[in-house]
Amino acid sequence: MTAVSSSSNQWNRDHPYASRLLLKRPLTTVGAVKQVMHMELDLGDSGLRYQPGDTVALRIENDPGLVQEILQLCGLAGDHELELALQRDHEITQVHPGFFRNYAAFCHNPDLQQLVNDSKQLRTYLEHKQIVDVLRDFPASPSRDQLRSCLRRLQERQYSIASSQCQTPASVALTVGMLQFDSNGHVRHGAGSGFLSGRVTASTTLLMHIVDNPNFRLPADPATPVIMIGPGTGIAPFRAFLQERQCRGASGRNWLFAGNRRRNDDFLYGDELLAWQASGVLTRLDVAFSRDQPDTIHVQHLLLQQAPAVHAWLQEGAHIYVCGDARHMAEDVQKTLLAILEQQGGLAAEPARQYLTGLRQQHRYQRDVY
Ligand SMILES: Cc1cc2nc3c(=O)[nH]c(=O)nc-3n(C[C@H](O)[C@H](O)[C@H](O)COP(=O)(O)OP(=O)(O)OC[C@H]3O[C@@H](n4cnc5c(N)ncnc54)[C@H](O)[C@@H]3O)c2cc1C
Ligand SMILES: NC(=O)c1ccc[n+]([C@@H]2O[C@H](COP(=O)([O-])OP(=O)(O)OC[C@H]3O[C@@H](n4cnc5c(N)ncnc54)[C@H](OP(=O)(O)O)[C@@H]3O)[C@@H](O)[C@H]2O)c1
């Protein structure tokens, strides 16, 4: 493997590379619960280098429709400078407590003030809200400066790289899940995923750079077996791992636990995974489709079903990787790994935890969760 770290790249947050979209295709049917896109960005003659496990950071722009909605609600429609600032400079989707406190300070609404003073109630209220929903619920007429003072700076969004540069030297692939939810009858989209899945076209300039991720790396020895656990968009870096191992002719065995909601709607990269299984690149493939049967099946249920083999792979030196949702999945998978160590290794709870900590310290248990 070429040991080039992204830190050697000349492109960074302050000096991003102006890329463009080469390809965007849906990985899900229109009926899927959550839309997911495969995207490929051109690296041209940038000289950008990345390794499997790295992420791409992208500058995004907010939805012009949402910007107009906010301007209207605040009575600031027609302020073109503010319009541009809301589109390019400020977070206008995520509601954070700081926004709430600042907004309440000039809003003079007793109900809003009561919410600010009750952190538990505030958390519940904010669960399915974006900033625009707060503006609807608690109308006010802030000045341009008051509004801007409540808003944070727009952050880049990161996406795991879903390709190996060994196979595609001049492009980088991403797997983008569209965040979409309903708030009081209004369809709301995530800022970054909405931008990428919806508004980006072949002519859009995409300002990007690579973020080095040294804590999520394939084993240095290509003969080492790997177990990869990545439901949903967590599959992304494992597509890169598998491309890399295939391209380098790595002899190590590869076991993937993937999953999503329904095989017919959202089996992300299903054709590629099955082809890798058929050709032997994937030694084992276990896919959990959570909603294809009356009982929910998640990746950790399949892990537990395969406990003796998972334990044997670990005894044989396998590295284990987890990618995807941090809130629930990563913890549930970790609990299952501990249960496997207890059940198969005859360990009590504390030694099992120490064993897993040991694997972490040896970089044999790596997580990339968000
Ligand atoms: C290292 C790293 C790697 C990542 N890799 C990937 C990847 O490969 N693919 C991928 O798709 N994403 C990935 N992400 C996540 C990605 O960066 C964005 O966070 C994601 O696309 C959402 O951003 P957004 O701008 O669309 O949403 P935002 O506008 O930022 O909104 C997100 C906020 O919306 C709220 N929210 C989320 N879901 C709901 C809901 N159902 N109902 C109500 N509110 C909700 C939450 O408060 C959340 O903070 C990664 C993140 C990190 C840090
Ligand atoms: N409400 C929210 O704020 C919210 C909700 C979901 C995701 N997200 C965000 O979406 C991103 C992850 O999206 P994603 O596409 O990778 O995943 P995802 O869309 O949330 O789910 C992918 C698969 O994982 C399953 N799953 C759900 N809970 C699980 C658990 N505890 N353990 C194992 N598998 C589980 C899902 O099954 P089922 O859904 O059928 O159970 C589905 O089959 C993250 O950024 C996350 O923060 C946010």
Side-chain angles (χ1 to χ4, degrees), residues 33-36 127-128 177-179 181 230-235 259-262 266 268 288-291 296-301 323-333 370:
V33 170
K34 182 172 180 177
Q35 302 298 312
V36 182
E127 224 155 66
H128 296 284
M178 171 75 123
L179 204 151
F181 55 94
T233 54
I235 187 69
N260 225 336
R261 293 175 179 88
R262 295 188 180 279
D266 56 18
L268 309 182
F289 292 105
S290 51
R291 303 186 190 180
T296 302
I297 297 182
H298 286 154
V299 280
Q300 61 272 23
H301 301 122
C323 182
D325 176 49
R327 228 163 317 176
H328 304 293
M329 183 278 293
E331 284 317 295
D332 289 348
V333 164
Y370 43 86

Side-chain angles (χ1 to χ4, degrees), residues 14 57 65 220:
D14 299 324

Side-chain angles (χ1 to χ4, degrees), residues 27-65:
L27 294 171
T28 47
T29 64
V30 286
V33 170
K34 182 172 180 177
Q35 302 298 312
V36 182
M37 291 277 176
H38 172 79
M39 302 182 71
E40 291 176 15
L41 312 188
D42 189 15
L43 298 181
D45 55 4
S46 63
L48 270 170
R49 303 287 306 156
Y50 63 83
Q51 289 189 61
D54 285 345
T55 62
V56 161
L58 278 156
R59 258 192 221 173
I60 61 157
E61 286 193 15
N62 284 310
D63 179 1

